[in-house]
């Protein structure tokens, strides 16, 4: 997850011109939308995190050259990864997937495992 996020950031920042950076952002948003449509929420979260990171978010001129359609798609991902109510929106998408294949965001499951372990007594008297 972290390596993929850093890879995306590097791909945008290594572009030399404003036009090429905007094109890279556009292509990465398209890639993220493909992840959303195929229900690969772990990779979508990596793309979302990379584009929301400080080095990429500060590229105001490059973002201004990204088409409105792509910026709108990117803004639609924000509610998916909202931490409100214990990731309610992401958990809802996972429930809607039903038996269909999807790749969940691993962070939610790791969080659940930690809280299961911490929320239960270590030893139970029988």
């Amino acid at each position: 997850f972290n390596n993929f996020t850093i890879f995306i950031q590097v791909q945008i920042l290594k572009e030399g011109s404003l036009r090429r950076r905007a094109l890279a952002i556009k292509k990465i948003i398209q890639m993220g939308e493909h992840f959303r449509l195929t229900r690969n929420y772990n990779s979508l979260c990596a793309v979302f995190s990379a584009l929301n990171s400080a080095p990429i978010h500060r590229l105001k001129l490059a973002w201004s050259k990204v088409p409105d359609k792509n910026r709108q798609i990117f803004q639609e991902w924000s509610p998916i990864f909202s931490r409100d109510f214990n990731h309610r929106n992401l958990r809802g998408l996972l429930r809607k997937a039903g038996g269909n294949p999807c790749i969940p965001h691993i962070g939610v499951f790791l969080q659940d495992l930690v809280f299961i372990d911490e929320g239960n007594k270590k030893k139970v008297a029988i």
Side-chain angles (χ1 to χ4, degrees):
F1 179 85
N2 290 337
N3 289 339
F4 187 46
T5 302
I6 292 169
F7 173 77
I8 291 168
Q9 292 171 348
V10 168
Q11 294 305 307
I12 294 170
L13 294 174
K14 78 176 188 176
E15 297 296 340
S17 71
L18 180 63
R19 184 183 63 79
R20 290 181 57 92
R21 279 188 180 173
L23 182 61
I25 292 171
K26 176 185 169 188
K27 292 289 186 186
I28 289 168
I29 290 172
Q30 290 172 346
M31 180 176 60
E33 185 63 8
H34 177 74
F35 290 145
R36 188 187 67 78
L37 294 174
T38 57
R39 293 188 296 269
N40 183 345
Y41 298 113
N42 195 56
S43 296
L44 177 61
C45 186
V47 170
F48 181 72
S49 297
L51 293 174
N52 265 333
S53 67
I56 306 303
H57 187 70
R58 285 192 319 224
L59 300 173
K60 300 292 185 194
L61 291 175
W63 277 101
S64 69
K65 301 288 184 190
V66 175
D68 289 337
K69 175 182 138 189
N70 294 97
R71 281 189 278 164
Q72 179 65 30
I73 290 170
F74 174 66
Q75 290 170 353
E76 289 171 4
W77 300 340
S78 185
I80 295 173
F81 299 108
S82 171
R83 293 196 167 133
D84 295 343
F85 303 105
N86 196 19
H87 298 277
R88 177 176 49 182
N89 297 335
L90 181 58
R91 290 176 192 275
L93 286 173
L94 295 175
R95 262 192 303 282
K96 278 188 213 173
N100 296 323
C102 77
I103 301 173
H105 175 45
I106 192 73
V108 173
F109 286 101
L110 293 176
Q111 176 185 348
D112 289 347
L113 289 174
V114 167
F115 286 126
I116 287 171
D117 186 50
E118 289 180 356
N120 294 306
K121 296 179 184 177
K122 297 291 182 194
K123 296 181 182 178
V124 177
I126 298 177

